[in-house]
Amino acid sequence: MKQISSTAIIELALDLASSLNSRDRFDRLLDTVRKAIACDAVALLSFHGDVLKPIALQGLSRDTLGRRFYIEEHPRFLALCQSKSPIRFAADSPLPDPYDGLLIDRAGDLPVHSCMGLPLYYDDNLLGLLTIDSLTPHDFEDIEVRTLEVISAISAATLNTAFLLEQLESRAAHSQRVVAELTEEAWKRDGGELIGDSSIMSQLKQELDIVASSDFNILIYGETGVGKELVARTLHQKSLRQHGPMVYVNCAALPDNLIESELFGHVKGAFTGADRNRAGKFSLADGGTLFLDEIGELPLGAQSKILRAIQNNEIQPVGQDNVEKVNVRIVAATNRDLKEEVGEGRFRADLYHRLSVYPIRVPKLSERVGDVQLLSGYFVEQTRRKLGISQLKITEQAIVHLSQYNWPGNVRELEHVISRATLKARARQRGKAIIAIEQSDCGSLVAVGSNQRLTSKSKEVSTEESVASTNLPLKEETENFQRQLISRVLKEEDSNWAAAARRLSTDRANLNRIAKRLNIKVVKSVI
Ligand SMILES: Nc1ncnc2c1ncn2[C@@H]1O[C@H](COP(=O)(O)OP(=O)(O)OP(=O)(O)O)[C@@H](O)[C@H]1O
Ligand SMILES: [Mg+2]
């Protein structure tokens, strides 16, 4: 009686446990079967309801892999699929052989030969078949039942592992696609474009173009509402990781006791309430960008853990013994002065240096000459769409009014002012085909002092207070503002009056006239 050797089993078990791909696993399985049983052909087929699909074979022509065997049409396969144990077909069995003409060593009809099949069950489910053929009759008659049982069990386990891995891989690939899809979707939905063509914004955009494709960690800083998050998203979109995920973490909103688990994940049972394994933000961002917003709010303890993750590119989920490799690019944002925070001992110097390989400052809105107009147009259109208004415009006076304010709440404040103004304008002009946002809809955005410190009603400061705090009449205040604005634009445009006029949305002659009235020195234009 022939027996499968224990060495062959151990070898196979080791092979299967090693990290082979499915194809290699199947080949090793068939090698082992051939070592244990002398035969001319062996094939592994997976079961799909009414069809058997060859997934690995030896001794049969390669085109067999492309064939799909409808079980009903092949009595031998049908018998095997209905059996719980191996079947050795009689040498003179009248049942047609599905491999007729497919054996490599023999063309045409098969001569009388040995043919055997093993149904492969796992957890009572039929996963497939293993078929073994020999051109020598009666070859399989003296193989021990136990040997066939062992081969069946190993083959079924191999198939099962392969199916599970396939499922996991396709689920992982699917999740990755979903995350990338959602990231892009959010980007499109939020508009995503960095509006502004002031020289300071053009400089920022150039910087983003340069640094996006690198894998440097980036620290974005600037006042509240300047667009730091939008800049972070722009960086991701322009980077080589654009098709990977961008994962957002608001460091200010992380509860102290959950920071580690949120960032690095945890395993089931790691702490009370951890009823399943959970991936952390670092793992979710693998292959993409991790955006650490409000990084300045992170407690010192968490800072050192993030530093370790960044330094070693690895994380350790809470309750797990081993570490996992991750490949993430960190983009962090803050409205604090992190250098100062380092000086005061509230932020780790080493983490600061790691993060700020390339610091990017997002300028205040008041520094972006001419951009209030563009941003207003952008938000007017956005609000029109959101509210389903067919035509919405903003008057010239309203724009001038908005341009004279210095926006302590920056772009976000402007966005809110436009939203509120639209609601007011719509209420005033209900039923009109074109709704126009007037200066009065924008509320009182009043200048205070010649340094353009301005306040708005939205900041709960009354107009009366603002006016009281300045000793200059409105006309002089306005002229002061205009003088400063025009001088600054001229300086930024290298005294190119045509360009300055374009930026200020007026014509050159008019700009010259205003400049003369305001005693701004008129230098001859280059163009
Ligand atoms: N240049 C810009 N073009 C178009 N929209 C902008 C621009 N800058 C900012 N925004 C919009 O203004 C709003 C505020 O921007 P964002 O949230 O990015 O600011 P932030 O600097 O992160 O603010 P905070 O410090 O308060 O978190 C968002 O709706 C954003 O889309
Ligand atoms: Mg933000």
Side-chain angles (χ1 to χ4, degrees):
M1 279 275 191
K2 282 187 207 164
Q3 262 192 338
I4 187 165
S5 80
S6 51
T7 330
I9 294 180
I10 292 169
E11 268 177 25
L12 183 60
L14 288 175
D15 279 348
L16 298 183
S18 63
S19 53
L20 298 167
N21 61 35
S22 297
R23 192 108 330 275
D24 291 340
R25 269 203 191 92
F26 296 149
D27 284 342
R28 304 277 175 107
L29 174 73
L30 300 192
D31 284 346
T32 313
V33 172
R34 291 189 93 171
K35 263 190 223 162
I37 299 173
C39 60
D40 294 300
V42 54
L44 185 65
L45 302 104
S46 57
F47 173 73
H48 305 268
D50 50 357
V51 173
L52 286 167
K53 183 175 152 190
I55 49 178
L57 43 85
Q58 290 184 8
L60 291 165
S61 62
R62 233 184 80 76
D63 70 280
T64 313
L65 282 174
R67 292 177 189 243
R68 301 294 174 258
F69 296 104
Y70 286 84
I71 299 166
E72 291 287 343
E73 295 168 11
H74 298 282
R76 290 191 193 216
F77 281 154
L78 184 62
L80 285 168
C81 289
Q82 288 172 344
S83 169
K84 280 271 175 182
S85 50
I87 299 180
R88 289 172 237 220
F89 293 98
D92 56 354
S93 168
L95 299 178
D97 194 296
Y99 297 144
D100 250 356
L102 299 179
L103 251 74
I104 288 173
D105 291 347
R106 183 70 60 124
D109 286 353
L110 285 177
V112 175
H113 74 301
S114 306
C115 170
M116 167 166 82
L118 286 63
L120 308 177
Y121 281 90
Y122 198 91
D123 275 350
D124 268 350
N125 292 320
L126 181 67
L127 300 183
L129 298 180
L130 186 75
T131 60
I132 307 170
D133 287 78
S134 164
L135 294 170
T136 320
H138 314 292
D139 219 8
F140 302 148
E141 280 169 13
D142 60 347
I143 299 173
E144 272 197 10
V145 174
R146 178 80 195 125
T147 300
L148 293 185
E149 280 172 1
V150 171
I151 292 177
S152 287
I154 292 176
S155 308
T158 310
L159 258 191
N160 189 51
T161 309
F163 288 162
L164 283 178
L165 285 175
E166 215 169 83
Q167 267 177 18
L168 285 176
E169 275 163 17
S170 89
R171 241 182 263 166
H174 175 72
S175 307
Q176 272 232 325
R177 273 203 310 278
V178 171
V179 172
E181 208 44 41
L182 288 176
T183 308
E184 280 188 42
E185 179 64 37
W187 169 256
K188 284 184 200 140
R189 197 187 47 238
D190 295 348
E193 194 185 340
L194 263 179
I195 304 291
D197 66 2
S198 55
S199 56
I200 201 158
M201 278 307 275
S202 307
Q203 242 172 34
L204 173 71
K205 287 180 190 173
Q206 262 172 24
E207 254 184 301
L208 295 179
D209 282 337
I210 292 168
V211 82
S213 57
S214 76
D215 237 4
F216 289 152
N217 295 326
I218 308 283
L219 178 68
I220 303 169
Y221 65 103
E223 282 187 1
T224 182
V226 285
K228 295 185 291 297
E229 187 173 338
L230 191 57
V231 166
R233 296 195 184 281
T234 308
L235 268 175
H236 175 74
Q237 280 304 319
K238 287 177 180 275
S239 76
L240 301 174
R241 294 167 178 259
Q242 60 178 288
H243 297 303
M246 168 154 183
V247 176
Y248 173 88
V249 181
N250 182 353
C251 298
L254 287 174
D256 274 5
N257 55 341
L258 286 181
I259 289 182
E260 213 179 331
S261 143
E262 281 291 315
L263 293 174
F264 309 123
H266 63 246
V267 295
K268 186 176 168 184
F271 48 84
T272 325
D275 51 3
R276 60 189 177 91
N277 288 0
R278 186 161 182 264
K281 304 283 191 190
F282 268 85
S283 309
L284 293 175
D286 198 17
T289 306
L290 182 63
F291 177 40
L292 300 174
D293 201 6
E294 319 256 17
I295 185 102
E297 312 307 310
L298 212 58
L300 281 165
Q303 288 176 25
S304 50
K305 282 174 186 139
I306 286 193
L307 177 68
R308 214 171 316 133
I310 299 177
Q311 271 171 342
N312 306 331
N313 293 323
E314 59 186 28
I315 51 154
Q316 187 167 25
V318 180
Q320 184 173 301
D321 292 335
N322 49 332
V323 291
E324 287 171 16
K325 280 276 167 214
V326 282
N327 168 13
V328 293
R329 179 194 201 176
I330 305 281
V331 173
T334 183
N335 52 18
R336 291 188 188 234
D337 181 344
L338 274 199
K339 232 184 215 162
E340 196 180 300
E341 296 292 303
V342 170
E344 308 260 324
R346 284 193 295 266
F347 204 85
R348 289 185 66 116
D350 39 13
L351 179 58
Y352 170 71
H353 292 302
R354 278 269 163 186
L355 290 177
S356 57
V357 179
Y358 202 109
I360 289 186
R361 175 177 174 269
V362 186
K364 294 187 278 189
L365 180 53
S366 56
E367 293 172 65
R368 310 178 198 176
V369 180
D371 281 357
V372 168
Q373 187 169 24
L374 297 186
L375 282 162
S376 301
Y378 177 75
F379 290 132
V380 165
E381 178 58 19
Q382 204 178 55
T383 317
R384 185 197 68 73
R385 269 208 328 269
K386 268 192 213 156
L387 297 181
I389 299 173
S390 52
Q391 283 286 3
L392 179 67
K393 64 171 203 171
I394 182 161
T395 64
E396 197 98 329
Q397 292 97 314
I399 293 272
V400 171
H401 180 60
L402 295 178
S403 304
Q404 289 172 353
Y405 180 55
N406 92 325
W407 302 105
N410 295 296
V411 187
R412 182 180 291 110
E413 190 184 2
L414 174 60
E415 187 180 4
H416 291 170
V417 165
I418 300 277
S419 300
R420 279 198 301 269
T422 307
L423 291 178
K424 279 192 204 163
R426 186 173 66 168
R428 259 191 323 104
Q429 302 161 69
R430 215 165 263 292
K432 283 206 172 169
I434 300 176
I435 293 182
I437 300 173
E438 310 271 358
Q439 178 175 340
S440 59
D441 296 317
C442 301
S444 310
L445 308 167
V446 179
V448 286
S450 55
N451 65 348
Q452 302 168 51
R453 276 310 306 172
L454 307 169
T455 55
S456 80
K457 263 192 176 164
S458 62
K459 297 283 286 177
E460 309 275 323
V461 179
S462 75
T463 319
E464 287 75 6
E465 264 175 4
S466 313
V467 172
S469 71
T470 163
N471 299 322
L472 296 173
L474 184 62
K475 184 164 180 288
E476 251 183 276
E477 274 297 312
T478 314
E479 284 182 351
N480 264 342
F481 171 77
Q482 286 182 327
R483 197 173 291 115
Q484 285 187 6
L485 181 67
I486 294 171
S487 305
R488 198 162 73 205
V489 177
L490 278 171
K491 200 165 151 211
E492 281 182 16
E493 295 297 345
D494 291 331
S495 297
N496 181 334
W497 283 76
R502 257 196 312 277
R503 288 262 302 277
L504 293 164
S505 301
T506 182
D507 58 64
R508 195 174 143 182
N510 193 35
L511 185 61
N512 269 308
R513 255 194 316 277
I514 301 171
K516 254 188 210 146
R517 176 167 57 77
L518 297 173
N519 275 335
I520 298 172
K521 206 168 152 222
V522 180
V523 181
K524 232 180 157 5
S525 171
V526 190
I527 297 168

